[in-house]
Amino acid sequence: ADSDWKEKAWERLRSQIRPRGSLGYLEEIAARLAAIQGTLIPDVSRKIIFTMAGDHGVAEEGVSAYPQEVTAQMVYSFTRGWASINVLASHAGADVRVVDCGVAADLPQDWPVIHGKIGHGTANMAQGPAMTREAAAAGILLGAGLVERAFEEEGYRLFGTGDMGIANTTASTAIVAAFSGKPVAELTGRGTGIDDQGWARKVEVIERALAVNRPDPEDPLDVLSKVGGYEIAALAGAVLGAAKVRAPVVCDGFIATAGALVACRWAPAARDYVFLSHRSREVGHGAMIDLLGIRPILDLDMRLGEGTGSALAMNIVDAAARVLKDIKTFEEAGVTDTGH
Amino acid sequence: ADSDWKEKAWERLRSQIRPRGSLGYLEEIAARLAAIQGTLIPDVSRKIIFTMAGDHGVAEEGVSAYPQEVTAQMVYSFTRGWASINVLASHAGADVRVVDCGVAADLPQDWPVIHGKIGHGTANMAQGPAMTREAAAAGILLGAGLVERAFEEEGYRLFGTGDMGIANTTASTAIVAAFSGKPVAELTGRGTGIDDQGWARKVEVIERALAVNRPDPEDPLDVLSKVGGYEIAALAGAVLGAAKVRAPVVCDGFIATAGALVACRWAPAARDYVFLSHRSREVGHGAMIDLLGIRPILDLDMRLGEGTGSALAMNIVDAAARVLKDIKTFEEAGVTDTGH
């Protein structure tokens, strides 16, 4: 991102017909968009959300309230337009593409999804690495390639990320535990809704996965391959792809932020392109947000995934672009400015 | 609002193809819309924001960073589409109507505003009542009538409120001080951007206004007339009008919430129809929010007014309506529900 354009954007924002700073965080978003796209008239009109789907071998440890078959069922519901992401993306004026990064079931080829399956679900990380380094790299390339092509060939200018995968809060918690070094119990939430016993089991499983695999926090690909997931690799890749084509990417909640964290550990410059859509109710999200140092746009106690937070926040990002472009300056409008 | 419809809405929300409660505060908004309109398919498609403008005699005490003439200048900029509210309302798909409730200057009759002027700015509340009870009642009727007619004659279904008026954070602070009984210094913010000396003067002026007028917190019209403003009266009226026609109304920040507070003190049932768009950066807003007991939708450090917060939050309210209507249930979709 280009700091000259950021300064130019702040200059314009400060001279608009309103008290300085009065649009709060919208102004910061607007200035970041200007820096990302190198312009005072950022274009975020064409929007797309990639919902990355994958299964997790660790589901066999009983860490989720739902059985693994729900991943494929939900992917089907996405293709039919029935689900939360369909409704909220449509509301946001965003297209949705669902990507099979590693669903356990074989999805019919005629389903309108991107068939990028890297494996039939990861291995159980409580017993060994979830996947190989090669598979993790393939997941990153999958996500990055999708964003790059959507930008270059189809003209999309604002990207969103989302996830679907039973047990993927378990993997994401392990990722943030590995990077932050914080106790697993402090980072573990209820996912889609487990009880106290299920929560205790989830903590124990994550601790076991970390003990068995010893992921190296200095090596993001090591963390990703040992305790991540295929869809989390693709979510990281989407962020890297967005950074490569210099496009803003709005990340959804806990899982998508885990992907963003991997991406930004790998390539710190990618952080300039990342927006966090919302503060998830999932407890470990706070530690991810702190590590990234990016303020989430919304705080609505959501904990759904699929890209629903990205869809909602895209409207605010779009509003910020319009603020920068369309609100007139005191000079343009001939209104008294006392310099505040 | 109808609690049967609220319960029916929660039933549908709980049976949708996603973990229960996973859309957080969106679900509460959706259930409230169902109760307000008495339906599971709430309609908030036609949106309008009323930006109420008025001047304040207390401006002569030097409580604002801007001179009084800015009120009329900003009203002019609203009519030209140059200002923040124009940009953000357009983004929200909402119409904007600007209402001269009591601007000090005579606005040309050919300006496309609603000419509802009750007086040429209020009297200086630091020396006596800002206005008569009759004028306060006239302001309420003005706001209520506008909303009622827009609902009945033009089919608007979602209302927003906003304000313009130099020195109106001073009046709004006095209102929340009168209702809450809290010390003025704890409730007084920087408004559009005064310095330390200006802040101390503002506190002293508000304390003087309360001492001189002794507004009775049990009598909302007494509070409104003694330390309120013409536009604040109309903002209260807009809430009462929305409650009367059973329509949701999204209130902007500090000033609009002061109006909502007056309305809900007068007619507590009106609270069912009120949404708070955002938590303003203006320090006294927290006390208003506590008194109303309504969670704001956004928290973006905004402190602009004009209805800008309402415009941004309308998109979220609209999203909540779509969540309720459009996300399929487990039964409709044939997806495994484990009952969580």
Side-chain angles (χ1 to χ4, degrees):
Chain A
D2 185 327
S3 62
D4 279 359
W5 281 105
K6 196 164 195 175
E7 192 37 56
K8 279 179 202 161
W10 278 116
E11 211 169 285
R12 178 169 175 87
L13 290 163
R14 278 193 296 263
S15 59
Q16 287 175 335
I17 48 170
R18 54 187 180 80
R20 287 189 187 167
S22 56
L23 282 172
Y25 191 44
L26 275 191
E27 301 186 31
E28 171 71 20
I29 296 169
R32 291 188 60 201
L33 291 174
I36 288 170
Q37 296 191 342
T39 175
L40 291 182
I41 47 172
D43 172 12
V44 291
S45 52
R46 296 210 65 203
K47 306 173 182 70
I48 186 167
I49 294 167
F50 286 101
T51 300
M52 310 294 192
D55 273 309
H56 293 259
V58 75
E60 71 190 25
E61 302 281 345
V63 290
S64 175
Y66 288 87
Q68 195 170 61
E69 66 189 349
V70 169
T71 304
Q73 287 175 343
M74 287 306 302
V75 167
Y76 180 67
S77 79
F78 301 157
T79 68
R80 299 300 302 265
W82 294 340
S84 305
I85 185 54
N86 305 104
V87 171
L88 290 173
S90 156
H91 180 61
D95 294 323
V96 178
R97 271 181 212 158
V98 184
V99 186
D100 176 5
C101 307
V103 178
D106 281 312
L107 305 185
Q109 283 298 315
D110 61 355
W111 283 13
V113 304
I114 294 168
H115 294 280
K117 196 191 288 291
I118 294 162
H120 290 77
T122 56
N124 182 348
M125 70 176 185
Q127 298 175 1
M131 67 183 104
T132 62
R133 278 180 86 88
E134 289 68 27
I140 288 175
L141 289 173
L142 171 64
L146 288 169
V147 167
E148 289 172 39
R149 283 193 299 280
F151 180 91
E152 283 161 7
E153 295 168 17
E154 299 179 279
Y156 288 104
R157 288 296 175 261
L158 180 61
F159 295 87
T161 62
D163 75 285
M164 180 67 223
I166 295 303
N168 66 7
T169 64
T170 299
S172 299
T173 305
I175 288 172
V176 66
F179 284 129
S180 70
K182 290 192 176 181
V184 171
E186 276 179 29
L187 299 168
T188 303
R190 302 286 169 149
T192 49
I194 46 175
D195 58 16
D196 289 351
Q197 203 183 352
W199 180 83
R201 187 166 51 235
K202 184 171 170 181
V203 170
E204 184 273 317
V205 166
I206 295 165
E207 285 173 344
R208 188 143 42 98
L210 294 170
V212 165
N213 289 293
R214 302 199 164 274
D216 176 4
E218 302 303 313
D219 179 356
L221 200 61
D222 192 59
V223 174
L224 177 63
S225 58
K226 286 175 171 171
V227 298
Y230 297 126
E231 84 281 38
I232 298 172
L235 289 162
V239 167
L240 295 170
K244 186 171 167 198
V245 297
R246 300 180 172 269
V249 55
V250 183
C251 298
D252 196 20
F254 192 57
I255 322 301
T257 309
L261 199 53
V262 169
C264 293
R265 285 280 165 142
W266 196 355
R271 182 179 169 283
D272 285 354
Y273 303 86
V274 173
F275 295 84
L276 296 186
S277 60
H278 74 114
R279 181 179 290 274
S280 165
R281 197 162 177 181
E282 184 74 11
V283 64
H285 199 216
M288 292 181 183
I289 292 166
D290 291 345
L291 286 173
L292 282 167
I294 300 169
R295 173 178 171 175
I297 297 171
L298 298 169
D299 185 0
L300 295 168
D301 284 337
M302 290 165 62
R303 52 177 182 84
L304 174 51
E306 299 181 8
T308 49
S310 299
L312 271 187
M314 277 179 161
N315 182 270
I316 308 280
V317 173
D318 202 338
R322 296 204 49 181
V323 159
L324 178 59
K325 285 187 286 195
D326 294 342
I327 300 174
K328 293 276 187 285
T329 64
F330 280 101
E331 196 178 3
E332 288 163 354
V335 172
T336 306
D337 179 13
T338 61
H340 289 276
Chain B
D2 185 327
S3 62
D4 280 359
W5 281 106
K6 195 164 196 176
E7 193 38 57
K8 279 180 204 161
W10 278 116
E11 213 169 282
R12 178 170 175 86
L13 290 163
R14 278 193 297 263
S15 59
Q16 288 175 334
I17 48 170
R18 55 189 179 80
R20 287 190 189 167
S22 56
L23 282 173
Y25 191 45
L26 274 192
E27 301 187 30
E28 171 70 21
I29 295 169
R32 291 188 60 201
L33 291 173
I36 288 169
Q37 296 190 343
T39 176
L40 291 182
I41 46 171
D43 172 13
V44 291
S45 52
R46 296 210 63 202
K47 306 173 183 70
I48 187 167
I49 294 168
F50 286 101
T51 300
M52 311 294 191
D55 273 308
H56 292 260
V58 74
E60 71 190 26
E61 301 281 344
V63 290
S64 174
Y66 289 87
Q68 195 170 62
E69 65 189 349
V70 168
T71 304
Q73 287 175 343
M74 287 306 301
V75 167
Y76 180 67
S77 79
F78 301 156
T79 68
R80 298 300 301 266
W82 293 340
S84 305
I85 185 56
N86 305 103
V87 171
L88 290 172
S90 156
H91 180 61
D95 294 324
V96 178
R97 274 182 209 155
V98 184
V99 186
D100 176 5
C101 306
V103 178
D106 280 312
L107 305 183
Q109 282 299 315
D110 61 356
W111 283 15
V113 304
I114 294 168
H115 294 280
K117 195 191 288 290
I118 294 162
H120 289 76
T122 56
N124 182 349
M125 71 177 185
Q127 298 175 359
M131 68 185 102
T132 63
R133 277 180 87 88
E134 290 68 27
I140 288 175
L141 289 172
L142 170 64
L146 289 170
V147 167
E148 289 172 40
R149 283 193 298 280
F151 180 91
E152 283 162 7
E153 295 169 18
E154 298 179 278
Y156 288 105
R157 287 298 175 260
L158 180 60
F159 295 87
T161 62
D163 74 285
M164 180 66 222
I166 295 305
N168 65 7
T169 64
T170 299
S172 299
T173 305
I175 288 173
V176 67
F179 283 129
S180 70
K182 290 191 176 182
V184 170
E186 277 179 28
L187 299 168
T188 304
R190 301 285 169 149
T192 49
I194 47 175
D195 59 16
D196 289 350
Q197 202 183 353
W199 180 83
R201 186 165 51 235
K202 186 171 169 181
V203 170
E204 185 272 318
V205 165
I206 295 166
E207 285 173 343
R208 187 144 41 97
L210 294 170
V212 165
N213 289 294
R214 302 197 163 277
D216 176 5
E218 302 302 314
D219 179 354
L221 200 60
D222 192 58
V223 173
L224 177 62
S225 58
K226 285 175 171 170
V227 298
Y230 296 126
E231 84 281 38
I232 298 172
L235 289 162
V239 168
L240 295 170
K244 186 172 169 199
V245 298
R246 298 179 173 271
V249 55
V250 182
C251 298
D252 197 21
F254 192 58
I255 322 300
T257 308
L261 198 53
V262 169
C264 294
R265 285 279 165 143
W266 196 356
R271 182 180 168 282
D272 285 354
Y273 302 86
V274 173
F275 294 84
L276 296 186
S277 61
H278 75 115
R279 182 178 290 275
S280 165
R281 198 162 176 181
E282 183 74 12
V283 64
H285 199 217
M288 292 181 183
I289 292 166
D290 291 345
L291 287 172
L292 282 167
I294 300 170
R295 173 179 171 175
I297 296 171
L298 300 168
D299 186 0
L300 295 168
D301 284 339
M302 290 165 61
R303 53 177 180 84
L304 173 52
E306 300 181 8
T308 49
S310 299
L312 270 186
M314 277 180 162
N315 183 270
I316 309 281
V317 173
D318 203 339
R322 296 205 49 182
V323 159
L324 178 60
K325 284 186 287 194
D326 295 341
I327 300 174
K328 292 276 186 282
T329 64
F330 280 102
E331 197 177 2
E332 288 162 355
V335 173
T336 305
D337 179 14
T338 61
H340 289 275

